Amino acid sequence: MNLTVIGTGYVGLVTGTCLSDMGNNVTCVDIDELKVEKMKKGMVPIYEPNLEELFHKNIKGNRLRFTTNLEEAIKDSTVIFLALPTPQDQDGSADLSYVESVAHDLSKIIKNYKIIINKSTVPVGTSDIVREIISSQTSVDFDVVSNPEFLREGFAVKDFMEPQRIIIGSSSKRAKEVLTRLYKPFIDVKRPIIFMDERSSELTKYAANTFLATKITFMNEIANLCEIIGADVDKVRMGMGSDNRIGNRFLYPGIGYGGSCFPKDVNALVKSSDESNYDFKILKSVLDINVRQKKSLIPKLSEYYKNNLENKKVAIWGLAFKPNTDDIREAPAIDVINELLLRKVSISVYDPEAMLNMKRIYEGKIQFGSNAYGILENVDCLLICTEWSEFVSPDFEKVKSLMKEPVIFDGRNIFELDTMKKNGFHYESVGRKIVHRD
C-alpha cells in the first residue's frame, strides 16, 4: 500500500519505518525542514534500539521517503496516519492544536477517498473533531479512525512488529477491510485486531496507560511502607507477582515514573474527567504521589548528611526516564538535580544516551562525564536514577577507590543488599533495609 505518516517523532518514525519494512511505500511528512533533510541523508533523529537498521534498509529499498510537502505526500496514499504531538497544556489537558491544524490542511487538499488515522494518544472525541473539521470544508469521501499506539520507548520496534493487540476504532466497513489487510503481517491468534467504536478506542489507550501508572504508584507506596515497618519490598513484590490475577510486570518500585506518555496521559484523563463532572480520585492521588516519589531520594541524602548538603559533591548515574532511550521528558533525574541545585550541591552526571538532551537544560550548571567511572572521582556519594544495564555489574573496588566515601543511594534497586554489604558500601534503596558499613 501507499501510506503517509504525518509527524516523525517516536510514534511516527517507528510506525513509518516498520510499515515500510513490510513492503509498503511510506512517505513521512514533517514541517521541520532541517530534520527532513537529515533523515533523507540517513540520519535517525531519535535513539531507539533496532530502528536505525530498519531505517537505512528501507530508505535504500526506496520504500521510506521524507518530505515537507503534505499535498505531495498524500496524493497517492489511501491511508494517512496522524502521529502528531499532543503536548500537555497548562491546565493538564491535551493540546490538540497540531491535530486540528493538520485536519484543516487535509480538508483543502484531499481529492479522493482517504482513511485518516489518529495514531497519537488523543482525548475521547478527537475523531469526531477531526471528522467535523474535514467534512466542513470538503465533499470528498473519507473515514476517520482511532488506532492508538502501544509502543514502549526502548522496545518500540519490537512492540510494533510483535503487538500484543491492535486496537481499531471505526464504524466504517470499508476502513476496517483496508486496515485488516494492512495489519495482516502483524497479527495471529495471539495478536488479534480488536475492533470497537472510535470513542472506546480513544479511551482504551488512556485507560491502559493510566492503569499502569497507577500500578507503579501503588508499588511505590508499598515500598515506602516497607521502609517504615521493616519489610522487604522485593519479597512483597515476588509474592504479589506470583498471583496471576496481578502479574509481576510494573511492580518494581523506584523514584517514580516519567516519559512522554504516563505523566501526560494521567493529567489528560483527569482533566477530561473533570470536564465531564467526574472526580477521578485515584488518578489525582497518582499524580500527587508521583511528584513526591520523584524527590524521594533527597530526604535520604539529607538525613544521612544531617541536613547539611551544601557543597557536597554528588554523582548521578542515569538521566533518561528509563533505560534504552535518550528521552528525558518528565525524567525523575530532573527533579533530583533541581532539588540538589537548590541545596547548592555540586553535581556530575553520566548517561549512555541522554547526555545531549540534558545538556540543553543544564549546560554550565552541572558537570557531564564521558563514562560511569569518570564522574566518581572524589564524590561524597552516588545516586542511581536510571537502571541502564551497564550500571548493574560495576567494578565495586574501582567505584570505592574513586569515591570520597562508599555511599550509594539507589532509586532503581539495581544492586542486591548482600552484594553491597560484602563490598563495604553504605547503601540505601527503595523499600528495602539500609545497608550500613561495618
Side-chain angles (χ1 to χ4, degrees):
M1 291 187 193
N2 293 323
L3 312 172
T4 299
V5 178
I6 305 175
T8 58
Y10 277 93
V11 175
L13 194 58
V14 171
T15 296
T17 302
C18 291
L19 286 173
S20 69
D21 201 55
M22 292 295 114
N24 298 291
N25 297 310
V26 180
T27 302
C28 294
V29 186
D30 203 289
I31 60 174
D32 187 333
E33 293 183 6
L34 181 59
K35 184 179 183 182
V36 168
E37 286 305 311
K38 287 182 177 179
M39 289 189 291
K40 284 181 177 179
K41 295 176 182 177
M43 298 172 65
V44 184
I46 59 173
Y47 173 76
E48 184 63 38
N50 304 316
L51 178 61
E52 188 169 0
E53 179 184 351
L54 293 183
F55 183 86
H56 291 148
K57 171 186 173 184
N58 289 287
I59 289 177
K60 185 176 181 180
N62 201 34
R63 292 181 297 273
L64 183 62
R65 294 172 290 276
F66 305 94
T67 183
T68 58
N69 189 321
L70 180 60
E71 186 168 7
E72 174 189 292
I74 71 161
K75 183 173 64 173
D76 297 322
S77 296
T78 300
V79 180
I80 302 170
F81 289 92
L82 306 186
L84 298 161
T86 54
Q88 183 175 304
D89 219 332
Q90 290 185 350
D91 63 357
S93 62
D95 180 357
L96 293 178
S97 59
Y98 294 98
V99 174
E100 293 173 356
S101 176
V102 169
H104 282 289
D105 292 339
L106 290 174
S107 70
K108 300 169 186 174
I109 59 178
I110 58 174
K111 306 297 182 184
N112 48 31
Y113 175 72
K114 306 290 184 185
I115 300 172
I116 299 162
I117 299 177
N118 280 324
K119 195 69 179 167
S120 302
T121 305
V122 292
V124 175
T126 301
S127 294
D128 297 334
I129 293 171
V130 172
R131 187 179 296 109
E132 289 170 7
I133 290 172
I134 297 176
S135 62
S136 68
Q137 301 182 64
T138 185
S139 58
V140 174
D141 192 19
F142 68 93
D143 283 309
V144 177
V145 173
S146 170
N147 174 216
E149 53 83 18
F150 295 93
L151 307 179
R152 298 168 296 163
E153 289 186 38
F155 302 91
V157 171
K158 177 178 174 60
D159 287 346
F160 195 98
M161 293 298 200
E162 302 173 12
Q164 291 187 358
R165 77 293 198 198
I166 294 171
I167 304 292
I168 294 178
S170 178
S171 54
S172 166
K173 181 179 179 182
R174 185 177 182 181
K176 290 177 183 177
E177 289 175 350
V178 171
L179 295 181
T180 299
R181 292 200 307 273
L182 176 64
Y183 281 125
K184 187 175 181 180
F186 303 95
I187 61 173
D188 56 29
V189 174
K190 295 182 179 179
R191 305 200 300 253
I193 292 181
I194 302 174
F195 291 101
M196 59 184 69
D197 62 276
E198 294 91 335
R199 285 179 170 249
S200 295
S201 173
E202 290 163 343
L203 183 56
T204 296
K205 176 57 188 291
Y206 277 109
N209 276 3
T210 57
F211 178 79
L212 294 176
T214 302
K215 193 173 182 182
I216 293 168
T217 303
F218 177 82
M219 206 61 212
N220 285 336
E221 288 286 78
I222 291 294
N224 294 337
L225 180 60
C226 284
E227 292 181 6
I228 295 170
I229 66 175
D232 187 326
V233 73
D234 285 345
K235 294 180 174 60
V236 175
R237 173 179 55 79
M238 287 188 286
M240 291 174 61
S242 63
D243 187 330
N244 60 18
R245 297 171 301 173
I246 297 172
N248 56 20
R249 299 186 67 187
F250 292 88
L251 287 184
Y252 290 85
I255 51 172
Y257 61 78
S260 62
C261 294
F262 287 1
K264 178 170 68 72
D265 293 353
V266 174
N267 273 295
L269 190 52
V270 167
K271 178 62 177 176
S272 62
S273 298
D274 286 343
E275 290 172 349
S276 300
N277 296 316
Y278 182 74
D279 186 9
F280 213 138
K281 293 180 180 180
I282 290 178
L283 291 188
K284 290 178 180 178
S285 294
V286 167
L287 289 173
D288 292 340
I289 293 165
N290 196 59
V291 168
R292 183 188 70 208
Q293 194 69 18
K294 284 183 173 184
K295 302 175 183 178
S296 59
L297 288 183
I298 305 301
K300 295 178 181 181
L301 266 75
S302 187
E303 182 175 351
Y304 181 81
Y305 291 111
K306 303 186 187 312
N307 297 316
N308 183 21
L309 292 177
E310 188 171 342
N311 297 321
K312 293 295 182 185
K313 295 181 67 176
V314 173
I316 297 177
W317 281 359
L319 303 172
F321 85 93
K322 61 181 288 190
N324 299 316
T325 180
D326 61 354
D327 195 344
I328 62 168
R329 285 175 287 183
E330 301 284 343
I334 292 176
D335 294 78
V336 171
I337 290 170
N338 288 342
E339 284 293 314
L340 292 177
L341 287 176
L342 286 175
R343 297 163 193 254
K344 299 181 180 180
V345 173
S346 175
I347 306 168
S348 55
V349 301
Y350 170 73
D351 186 283
E353 295 295 338
M355 301 280 275
L356 181 60
N357 289 335
M358 199 63 93
K359 281 182 180 179
R360 295 189 181 108
I361 303 174
Y362 295 109
E363 187 80 81
K365 298 178 181 178
I366 62 177
Q367 291 75 50
F368 293 86
S370 58
N371 60 74
Y373 294 110
I375 65 170
L376 297 180
E377 190 169 354
N378 205 36
V379 298
D380 292 286
C381 67
L382 167 65
L383 275 59
I384 299 171
C385 292
T386 314
E387 63 275 31
W388 284 93
S389 58
E390 71 174 76
F391 301 153
V392 173
S393 300
D395 181 337
F396 286 113
E397 285 304 314
K398 184 174 183 178
V399 170
K400 285 177 65 176
S401 69
L402 291 167
M403 298 176 69
K404 187 184 299 183
E405 289 186 284
V407 179
I408 296 178
F409 296 90
D410 182 358
R412 298 300 177 188
N413 289 7
I414 66 173
F415 301 136
E416 296 295 330
L417 301 184
D418 289 344
T419 300
M420 304 313 287
K421 182 73 172 177
K422 178 181 177 182
N423 283 281
F425 282 85
H426 177 92
Y427 178 70
E428 299 191 33
S429 50
V430 181
R432 303 188 294 180
K433 293 180 180 180
I434 297 173
V435 174
H436 298 279
R437 282 183 291 162
D438 293 332

